[in-house]
Amino acid sequence: MLGKRNGDRAIAMRHAFLLHALATARLFTGLFLGSNLILDASAATAGHTLAVSVDDFNYVDTSSEPSDQTVLHEKQLRAFMTALRDDLTADRRFELVPSSCAPNCPTDGPALRDRLREASQAGTQIVIIGIVHKLSTLVQVVRIAAIDTTAQRVVFRKYFQFRGDNDEAWQRAERFVSEEVRDRLLESRSQQ
């Protein structure tokens, strides 16, 4: 009986995960599916720094935990964003351009296209947008898209999953995400 109950619970958790993922995907539907933004290489040329802007990521918690952790998650997300920007600043291959739309940057539709046009005019080559989604007590995901501002095309999009909801878990996730983002940006630049 216990085995069946655990199996039923696992199936229910998978279904809940899928429903949460679909709901969260609505934030990026216009960007990833409904718009004319497609995979492309960045506008940077080899040998030059890449001008990158990192918009504040959104945070969604659908874990249904009994305690309200909004203040803690806002703090962890701010630390995550600061560390991500600091990593880009420390890497001489990148120039960090401050985001012009903080704290509520558009993630799809005409508002995003306007944002990209403004960023391009300000010298930004790539805008990075994202969302952190807490699915359960121990599982969170980070979805990121890097967009070429001139061509208004997605350079890459990536989905990361991390375990835990304490400062150490967030720091590990940020280090991994930062390294992957920088590697992918440089990879796309070298394909020019």
Side-chain angles (χ1 to χ4, degrees):
M1 182 72 160
L2 182 61
K4 180 177 177 1
R5 208 175 314 152
N6 285 339
D8 291 344
R9 181 181 165 147
I11 291 170
M13 288 178 70
R14 275 189 234 120
H15 287 193
F17 172 79
L18 291 172
L19 288 174
H20 293 299
L22 289 172
T24 303
R26 283 187 44 205
L27 292 173
F28 287 96
T29 299
L31 173 63
F32 294 144
L33 302 175
S35 71
N36 61 357
L37 300 176
I38 59 172
L39 187 65
D40 194 14
S42 74
T45 57
H48 296 91
T49 59
L50 188 60
V52 178
S53 181
V54 181
D55 289 352
D56 287 335
F57 291 4
N58 294 317
Y59 189 84
V60 176
D61 183 351
T62 58
S63 66
S64 300
E65 289 183 313
S67 62
D68 183 2
Q69 298 176 331
T70 303
V71 172
L72 175 62
H73 291 146
E74 287 172 356
K75 178 184 167 235
Q76 290 168 321
L77 182 60
R78 275 193 311 275
F80 182 96
M81 298 309 304
T82 298
L84 184 58
R85 290 180 180 117
D86 287 349
D87 289 348
L88 280 167
T89 301
D91 191 324
R92 300 172 97 183
R93 299 169 294 184
F94 301 99
E95 172 192 353
L96 182 65
V97 180
S99 176
S100 63
C101 64
N104 295 312
C105 300
T107 58
D108 64 3
L112 177 59
R113 285 190 280 283
D114 292 343
R115 158 85 175 108
L116 294 173
R117 195 171 15 266
E118 291 170 9
S120 179
Q121 291 169 353
T124 301
Q125 296 167 294
I126 301 291
V127 169
I128 297 174
I129 64 173
I131 185 170
V132 179
H133 181 186
K134 184 172 182 176
L135 297 170
S136 68
T137 301
L138 292 176
V139 178
Q140 299 193 74
V141 295
V142 181
R143 291 186 177 107
I144 292 180
I147 308 167
D148 180 315
T149 61
T150 304
Q152 293 199 359
R153 296 174 189 238
V154 174
V155 174
F156 73 86
R157 60 181 171 254
K158 193 132 173 128
Y159 172 93
F160 304 92
Q161 181 175 326
F162 69 99
R163 302 251 182 233
D165 190 14
N166 58 29
D167 291 344
E168 182 182 348
W170 277 80
Q171 290 164 1
R172 276 193 321 267
E174 184 282 326
R175 284 190 300 270
F176 184 78
V177 167
S178 172
E179 187 175 316
E180 287 289 311
V181 165
R182 288 180 286 144
D183 288 349
R184 292 294 301 271
L185 288 173
L186 293 173
E187 179 183 301
S188 69
R189 184 166 108 170
S190 71
Q191 294 174 357
Q192 285 286 355

